[in-house]
């Protein structure tokens, strides 16, 4: 599972600068209940992602009255903004979708005391927290500087070096308490019965023709593009999207175009996942 590093001061823009060169990334808003804030802080420890992710929390202050006008009770709401690799989005959200979280779209607009361009965010929200179409904030989520939670992929034992493995084995062996061999009690010798061995008649194998031998099916390794397409379709399905809506969703359209150009059977994968 992931390891969470706490950075005392940072923003999504500064902490993820240059990460796009290692793979496509996306940003989402997590609109939860205040009671879930501790769990959301440690959410990275519960998922197995392949690339680092960054999240920051925002606590409204000057814009509280404006939020109330939009139907948001700031005392009961939690605002978290996450930068995650596109390939990890499904892994990040799957546990929460299983708890009833849903997907939507919101616009982050500048509050009366702020000035920045309107930002459109994909928003995943707690079933008890329904976000409005617009959320006024005093800072842009991308540039707000706060305590940040950086989730790194957890250690994989298969990738451990020999020296690390030796240290692990040595540590395990040192915890094992040696047990003295128990001396067996004297047991009176019993006569050993010898069973008579009866030779079984040999049977000749029945020869098989080439037609009777089933062909060996080789498992085709899934490409990174196929994995990304699968993640996008699974995430949209889990979020309650209908088949027609998924086919028109910008996220699906973008990845399906790249997959089709690479020769991936997009429609076949779509049908298999939607039927499952």
């Amino acid at each position: 599972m992931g390891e969470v590093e706490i950075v005392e001061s940072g923003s999504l823009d500064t902490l993820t600068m240059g990460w796009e060169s290692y793979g496509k990334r996306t940003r989402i808003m997590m609109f939860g209940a205040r009671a879930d804030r501790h769990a959301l802080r440690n959410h990275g420890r519960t998922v197995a992602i392949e690339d680092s992710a960054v999240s920051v929390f925002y606590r409204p202050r000057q814009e509280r009255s404006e939020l109330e006008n939009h139907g948001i009770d700031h005392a009961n709401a939690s605002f978290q903004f996450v930068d995650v690799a596109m390939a990890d989005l499904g892994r990040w959200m799957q546990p929460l979708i299983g708890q009833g979280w849903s997907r939507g779209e919101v616009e982050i607009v500048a509050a009366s005391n702020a000035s920045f361009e309107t930002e459109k965010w994909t928003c995943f929200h707690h079933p008890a927290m329904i976000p409005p179409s617009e959320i006024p904030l005093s800072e842009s989520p991308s540039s707000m500087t706060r305590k940040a939670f950086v989730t790194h992929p957890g250690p994989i034992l298969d990738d451990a070096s020999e020296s690390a493995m030796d240290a692990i084995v040595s540590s395990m062996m040192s915890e094992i308490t040696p047990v003295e061999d128990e001396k067996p009690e004297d047991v009176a010798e019993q006569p050993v019965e010898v069973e008579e061995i009866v030779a079984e008649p040999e049977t000749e194998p029945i020869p098989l023709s080439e037609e009777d031998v089933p062909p060996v099916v080789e498992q085709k390794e899934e490409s990174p593009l196929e994995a990304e397409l699968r993640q996008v379709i699974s995430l949209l399905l889990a979020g309650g999207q209908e088949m027609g809506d998924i086919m028109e969703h910008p996220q699906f359209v973008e990845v399906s175009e790249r997959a089709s150009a690479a020769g991936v059977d997009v429609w076949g994968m779509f049908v298999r996942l939607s039927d499952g």
Side-chain angles (χ1 to χ4, degrees):
M1 298 303 177
E3 296 180 346
V4 179
E5 172 192 2
I6 299 178
V7 178
E8 290 302 324
S9 180
S11 68
L12 296 185
D13 281 348
T14 57
L15 292 175
T16 63
M17 186 178 299
W19 287 12
E20 281 282 353
S21 59
Y22 298 102
K24 189 171 182 181
R25 305 187 65 82
T26 187
R27 289 180 177 178
I28 59 174
M29 174 183 173
M30 309 280 288
F31 186 56
R34 179 64 64 87
D36 295 329
R37 186 163 183 170
H38 178 74
L40 292 176
R41 283 179 177 175
N42 294 281
H43 181 66
R45 293 190 172 98
T46 68
V47 293
I49 57 177
E50 296 182 356
D51 292 292
S52 296
V54 180
S55 65
V56 294
F57 285 91
Y58 181 73
R59 180 172 294 181
R61 287 182 172 81
Q62 297 179 341
E63 68 273 57
R64 289 177 178 177
S65 60
E66 295 182 59
L67 289 173
E68 291 175 357
N69 293 335
H70 283 75
I72 297 177
D73 181 2
H74 67 86
N76 294 323
S78 173
F79 302 84
Q80 183 186 25
F81 299 94
V82 184
D83 184 295
V84 63
M86 180 66 76
D88 285 331
L89 181 58
R91 302 182 184 96
W92 188 272
M93 286 306 308
Q94 199 63 39
L96 297 175
I97 289 176
Q99 298 173 20
W101 285 58
S102 301
R103 178 189 178 281
E105 302 287 338
V106 298
E107 288 188 345
I108 306 298
V109 299
S112 58
N113 65 326
S115 176
F116 59 85
E117 294 291 331
T118 298
E119 301 177 10
K120 190 172 184 179
W121 283 73
T122 296
C123 176
F124 290 92
H125 59 89
H126 187 279
M129 306 294 294
I130 308 301
S133 58
E134 289 186 355
I135 298 180
L137 296 181
S138 295
E139 296 179 69
S140 162
S142 299
S143 59
M144 61 176 59
T145 301
R146 296 288 188 281
K147 178 183 289 186
F149 298 84
V150 183
T151 301
H152 302 289
I156 301 174
L157 191 59
D158 292 342
D159 293 341
S161 62
E162 292 185 4
S163 58
M165 287 294 296
D166 292 341
I168 294 172
V169 173
S170 176
S171 175
M172 293 174 62
M173 293 299 294
S174 65
E175 296 177 1
I176 299 176
T177 303
V179 180
E180 295 183 0
D181 294 336
E182 296 182 359
K183 295 182 179 180
E185 298 179 359
D186 294 336
V187 180
E189 293 186 0
Q190 299 291 335
V192 179
E193 296 182 0
V194 179
E195 295 183 0
E196 183 180 355
I197 300 175
V198 179
E200 296 182 358
E202 295 184 0
T203 57
E204 296 183 359
I206 301 175
L208 295 177
S209 64
E210 294 183 359
E211 296 178 354
D212 296 328
V213 179
V216 178
V217 179
E218 296 182 358
Q219 294 291 335
K220 183 181 178 182
E221 185 176 352
E222 192 174 58
S223 68
L225 190 55
E226 289 175 315
E228 181 182 351
L229 177 63
R230 182 184 299 276
Q231 288 286 345
V232 170
I233 297 174
S234 299
L235 180 62
L236 294 176
L237 285 171
Q241 298 284 324
E242 299 293 337
M243 290 181 63
D245 296 334
I246 292 177
M247 296 182 67
E248 297 177 358
H249 194 278
Q251 194 173 344
F252 172 79
V253 171
E254 191 275 334
V255 69
S256 64
E257 288 178 351
R258 290 189 286 114
S260 297
V264 176
D265 182 10
V266 175
W267 177 248
M269 181 180 293
F270 181 82
V271 172
R272 289 194 301 272
L273 292 177
S274 59
D275 289 344

